[in-house]
Amino acid sequence: MTAEPMEHNDNRTRPAPAWTPGPSDWRQGASAVFTMTFDVDAETPILGSGKSYADNLMVMSHQSYGPDVGVPRILNMLDELDIQATFFIPGWVAEHRAGLAPTIIERGHEVAHHSYSHQAPTSMTMTEERDDFERALAVFDAQGIAVTGYRAANWCASWRTPALVAEYGLTYDSSLMGDDRPYTISTPAGRLVELPVHWSLDDWEQYAFLPAPDIGSIIQSPARAVEVWRAELDGMRHFGGLFNLCAHPFLSGRPGRLLALRGLIEYAQDCGDVTFATCAATAELVLKDEHTAERTLTKLSDAALESFPG
């Protein structure tokens, strides 16, 4: 089934791009790369606000819809469109639904690390962050799944996070917002690819709503969400960027929203200059690109912050 077309200006033919591809370019000749990612958070964001929410049947059913209904529906859509995606899964979710991550792998997609408990690293001590990170790795190891990438809960990476990810041999992180093209980060534990994200490419900002806990208060039309995303996709095509879209199965797995997402993917396919890839495949190409920018992260000193409150 194809989503109903929405009124739009036809931007399939773009003006000359504002960049020049090199012989080892990570885009492999495309104008932009589309990484379709899904954060399969299930109940974890809610339980992170307090385990007492486990007593609220409505709230728990709202979140379980993601892995139980949304993920199967999404996998079928991806099969029909013949694209591969990356699913970031908290270790707690993979542990409590033991068949979930292996099924996603069997269907030809990537499973990546999304913490264990979906707690933001910025809310943890160094020891707590490491313990949470290791606990999720142990779950995936027990299921025979080799993860090569990481995304921090709520994208709230700490200044310790990149080095921790590199220390355990993962190839990439996808939590930061320092560019709209991939770059590498120099850490004490080695080089790490960053596949940047942004709030404008997250369905949470479009669809998230619950009376309690407060996860959001606006439910946008799917047409409005796709309007925002398509504008960004056309911008990425012009500037040679990474269209790193983040969707949550408990949100975008809903029928009308999934049809709208399908329409966006079909638009990108019809453009003819957009490549689809998993995050892992993209990171490997970024490492091979001799023109990839490398950055060293430097936290502001106390002296630089002395004029500010807090």
Side-chain angles (χ1 to χ4, degrees):
M1 181 181 294
T2 302
E4 289 295 320
M6 290 174 281
E7 291 186 7
H8 60 270
N9 294 324
D10 193 337
N11 288 324
R12 288 178 178 83
T13 302
R14 302 296 300 160
W19 56 278
T20 303
S24 62
D25 188 82
W26 62 274
R27 304 170 197 82
Q28 299 287 281
S31 294
V33 175
F34 190 145
T35 46
M36 183 69 249
T37 74
F38 296 94
D39 288 6
V40 192
D41 297 339
E43 298 89 351
T44 57
I46 306 305
L47 296 175
S49 296
K51 60 184 178 182
S52 62
Y53 286 106
D55 295 330
N56 188 320
L57 180 56
M58 178 278 291
V59 171
M60 290 294 98
S61 67
H62 181 266
Q63 297 304 121
S64 66
Y65 180 97
D68 298 346
V69 179
V71 168
R73 186 174 284 162
I74 287 164
L75 290 172
N76 289 338
M77 178 193 71
L78 296 173
D79 282 348
E80 292 164 4
L81 295 174
D82 193 25
I83 66 169
Q84 293 178 302
T86 299
F87 290 76
F88 290 90
I89 307 179
W92 186 94
V93 177
E95 187 173 49
H96 285 79
R97 291 177 171 84
L100 177 66
T103 296
I104 290 169
I105 295 289
E106 289 167 6
R107 297 287 287 270
H109 304 287
E110 177 193 3
V111 166
H113 191 311
H114 194 35
S115 81
Y116 177 81
S117 60
H118 203 271
Q119 296 290 296
T122 50
S123 70
M124 298 179 179
T125 66
M126 179 171 58
T127 299
E128 289 169 342
E129 181 178 4
R130 180 177 291 275
D131 288 348
D132 184 87
F133 190 92
E134 291 177 345
R135 191 172 183 184
L137 280 181
V139 172
F140 294 120
D141 287 345
Q143 296 181 358
I145 296 172
V147 295
T148 62
Y150 171 82
R151 175 172 284 170
N154 303 325
W155 295 341
C156 290
S158 73
W159 286 89
R160 304 178 298 264
T161 302
L164 180 64
V165 176
E167 177 186 338
Y168 282 87
L170 277 65
T171 305
Y172 72 88
D173 171 71
S174 184
S175 311
L176 306 182
M177 303 187 186
D179 206 326
D180 43 48
R181 295 156 296 183
Y183 54 96
T184 62
I185 298 170
S186 176
T187 83
R191 190 181 183 207
L192 183 70
V193 173
E194 180 60 39
L195 302 180
V197 292
H198 191 259
W199 300 113
S200 61
L201 296 180
D202 186 354
D203 66 346
W204 196 290
E205 311 312 311
Q206 307 293 333
Y207 300 140
F209 171 81
L210 273 177
D214 183 8
I215 65 169
S217 59
I218 298 176
I219 299 179
Q220 293 281 11
S221 160
R224 172 59 177 161
V226 170
E227 178 186 2
V228 172
W229 296 337
R230 232 183 71 166
E232 288 300 309
L233 175 61
D234 288 335
M236 297 297 185
R237 291 168 60 208
H238 179 68
F239 289 102
L242 175 68
F243 187 77
N244 192 8
L245 185 63
C246 174
H248 298 75
F250 81 92
L251 297 173
S252 284
R254 295 280 169 178
R257 297 168 181 178
L258 194 63
L259 286 180
L261 178 58
R262 179 180 183 130
L264 175 72
I265 293 171
E266 290 175 333
Y267 169 76
Q269 290 176 320
D270 289 345
C271 286
D273 61 352
V274 177
T275 295
F276 289 81
T278 64
C279 289
T282 301
E284 289 298 325
L285 290 172
V286 170
L287 285 173
K288 294 176 182 178
D289 188 343
E290 59 190 17
H291 297 103
T292 297
E294 182 163 353
R295 302 184 184 184
T296 300
L297 303 179
T298 304
K299 188 176 182 180
L300 292 172
S301 67
D302 291 342
L305 298 171
E306 64 182 6
S307 299
F308 299 94

